[in-house]
Amino acid sequence: MINSDVFNYVNILNKAADATWTRGKLLANNLANVSTPGYKRQDIEFQTYLADALKQGHGTLDQRVAGVNLQSIEPTIYKDNTSLSYKLDGNNVDVDTESANMGENVINNNAILESITHEFSRIRLALSNN
């Protein structure tokens, strides 16, 4: 993490990028284990933690982002034991659901990376105007 208020958005976006990268690995692993008897799909919880952290602040979005404790938005990997398995072998991975989740994750990751690029462009512009 970069320790400057200038990089508040970048630090949060960096956390989000790490979470989407980890989620992509988990989803790929789920698809790889679609035929493994007893395998339970895994996923990651991050968006709820980020939303909660941003709700706790007061004022503008800039002020709330500046007040976010980055350690409070650590992603959590969990095993999904709640999903019903329609397979006799106890595996709860559905190829269509996992594929849709992969597509969603790719879109989220691309948006996050574009946002990081935008933030660095703003910083570069601010520095070049001095």
Side-chain angles (χ1 to χ4, degrees):
M1 308 289 152
I2 302 169
N3 294 325
S4 170
D5 287 348
V6 173
F7 296 101
N8 289 333
Y9 283 100
V10 173
N11 289 334
I12 289 177
L13 289 167
N14 182 47
K15 286 277 202 173
D18 288 347
T20 58
W21 181 78
T22 300
R23 186 169 194 232
K25 288 188 349 182
L26 292 171
L27 295 172
N29 191 50
N30 291 342
L31 286 169
N33 284 288
V34 69
S35 299
T36 303
Y39 180 82
K40 300 298 182 193
R41 68 176 302 278
Q42 292 183 320
D43 210 336
I44 193 168
E45 184 61 47
F46 175 77
Q47 292 177 343
T48 304
Y49 301 147
L50 178 58
D52 289 346
L54 290 173
K55 285 179 191 174
Q56 291 181 12
H58 300 291
T60 67
L61 181 58
D62 288 341
Q63 292 168 331
R64 287 183 286 161
V65 167
V68 168
N69 175 2
L70 293 173
Q71 281 69 38
S72 71
I73 55 173
E74 286 296 321
T76 303
I77 297 172
Y78 65 92
K79 191 175 287 192
D80 188 358
N81 290 315
T82 61
S83 293
L84 296 176
S85 174
Y86 297 105
K87 301 176 191 175
L88 295 176
D89 66 0
N91 183 310
N92 67 349
V93 176
D94 178 68
V95 173
D96 295 332
T97 302
E98 296 302 315
S99 297
N101 287 339
M102 273 285 239
E104 174 192 43
N105 196 59
V106 167
I107 291 168
N108 287 340
N109 190 53
N110 288 342
I112 290 165
L113 295 178
E114 182 66 30
S115 295
I116 291 171
T117 300
H118 177 71
E119 286 301 314
F120 278 118
S121 294
R122 286 178 25 162
I123 293 167
R124 188 176 315 116
L125 180 64
L127 292 174
S128 68
N129 285 337
N130 288 333

